């Protein structure tokens, strides 16, 4: 997969390293010459350009990219870059970084954003998760699919402790995507049982969140 990242600061470089480590091609773009530091991520491609200018995005060959991640520290630039990527170059997937919570409502399909990532929201969600075993915590929203990425730490008395994912009677359009266990990321195996204390990451439509919460932790959320 080829991924373009707008913004080559600490956030953009960190994302690039992770993606390259997972075998993806990455292009880092930044308009500030001081941010162009190929030695920091030597396996990435680098481009000195303004992501808000159409000519620059043509030079970046966004039409060859599968994903555009707009991770600058400027919400206006992230919105414009997302819109250009989606409407002018047909990039299949766009991710927009929200720097200021008051601007989160703008990061929608209207601006070409498929997924918005709000650092304050994620941080607050992680705080909630740390103190609320058995509660469903929303991490972020997939605008296009009207679904959310949610997390639940499975309580000891959940009826699904010791049972395999294929036995989870999840509602329609809900999916268990990842299990976090003792610092490890585990791809769900249909036949491998889950354990108490596992952090389950699921994609769930907004109107089914309560149902999933009651299903996985009925003693905490009787319904």
């Amino acid at each position: 997969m080829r991924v373009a990242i707008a913004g080559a600061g600490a956030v953009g470089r960190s994302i690039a390293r992770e993606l390259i480590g997972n075998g993806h091609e990455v292009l880092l773009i930044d308009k500030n010459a001081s941010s162009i530091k190929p030695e920091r991520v030597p396996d990435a491609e680098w481009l000195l350009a303004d992501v808000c200018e159409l000519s620059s995005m043509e030079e970046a060959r966004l039409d060859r990219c599968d994903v555009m991640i707009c991770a600058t520290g400027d919400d206006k630039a992230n919105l414009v870059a997302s819109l250009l990527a989606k409407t002018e170059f047909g990039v299949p997937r766009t991710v927009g970084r929200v720097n200021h919570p008051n601007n989160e409502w703008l990061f929608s399909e209207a601006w070409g954003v498929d997924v918005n990532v709000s650092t304050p929201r994620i941080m607050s969600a992680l705080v909630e998760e740390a103190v609320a075993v058995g509660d469903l915590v929303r991490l972020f929203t997939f605008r296009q699919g009207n679904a959310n990425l949610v997390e639940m730490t499975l309580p000891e008395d959940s009826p699904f402790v010791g049972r395999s994912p294929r036995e989870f009677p999840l509602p329609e359009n809900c999916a268990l995507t990842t299990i976090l266990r003792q610092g490890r990321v585990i791809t769900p195996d249909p036949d491998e049982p889950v354990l108490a204390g596992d952090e389950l990451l699921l994609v769930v439509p907004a109107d089914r969140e309560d149902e999933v919460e009651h299903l996985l932790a009925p003693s905490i959320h009787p319904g």
Side-chain angles (χ1 to χ4, degrees):
M1 185 168 65
R2 183 169 176 78
V3 182
I5 301 175
V11 172
R13 294 196 302 269
S14 178
I15 296 170
R17 292 189 196 97
E18 187 74 19
L19 289 171
I20 291 170
N22 289 330
H24 302 295
E25 297 179 21
V26 173
L27 169 65
L28 278 161
I29 309 168
D30 205 293
K31 67 178 182 180
N32 297 314
S34 60
S35 296
I36 303 298
K37 300 176 180 179
E39 70 280 1
R40 298 286 183 90
V41 192
D43 293 324
E45 297 177 40
W46 292 75
L47 178 64
L48 178 62
D50 187 341
V51 294
C52 295
E53 294 183 359
L54 186 60
S55 59
S56 295
M57 296 299 92
E58 289 173 345
E59 183 181 356
R61 295 296 306 274
L62 282 193
D63 57 312
R64 296 176 52 227
C65 294
D66 302 291
V67 180
M68 175 72 172
I69 299 174
C70 303
T72 77
D74 184 337
D75 284 346
K76 296 188 295 296
N78 290 341
L79 286 169
V80 171
S82 295
L83 187 62
L84 286 177
K86 182 64 72 174
T87 60
E88 298 296 328
F89 298 95
V91 177
R93 196 72 170 163
T94 59
V95 180
R97 173 189 176 189
V98 184
N99 294 279
H100 301 289
N102 289 344
N103 296 332
E104 188 172 355
W105 66 277
L106 288 166
F107 284 73
S108 65
E109 289 182 38
W111 278 95
V113 180
D114 293 315
V115 179
N116 72 57
V117 180
S118 171
T119 301
R121 175 187 285 186
I122 290 176
M123 290 181 69
S124 63
L126 290 174
V127 170
E128 290 179 29
E129 181 272 328
V131 297
V133 172
D135 283 349
L136 202 70
V137 178
R138 183 182 299 178
L139 298 180
F140 62 81
T141 298
F142 299 99
R143 297 287 185 186
Q144 189 169 350
N146 191 32
N148 302 316
L149 179 68
V150 300
E151 184 274 348
M152 173 183 281
T153 299
L154 202 65
E156 292 184 0
D157 59 353
S158 169
F160 297 100
V161 170
R163 297 172 65 180
S164 64
R166 74 165 69 248
E167 298 179 82
F168 286 27
L170 291 173
E172 186 179 3
N173 297 326
C174 298
L176 173 63
T177 61
T178 306
I179 299 171
L180 305 179
R181 180 184 298 158
Q182 297 177 346
R184 293 186 297 130
V185 178
I186 302 171
T187 301
D189 183 325
D191 299 311
E192 183 71 22
V194 299
L195 306 177
D198 281 354
E199 295 181 48
L200 310 182
L201 298 184
L202 307 99
V203 176
V204 178
D207 61 356
R208 309 306 289 268
E209 287 184 358
D210 288 346
E211 186 176 348
V212 170
E213 191 171 50
H214 296 157
L215 174 73
L216 297 177
S219 66
I220 298 174
H221 306 282

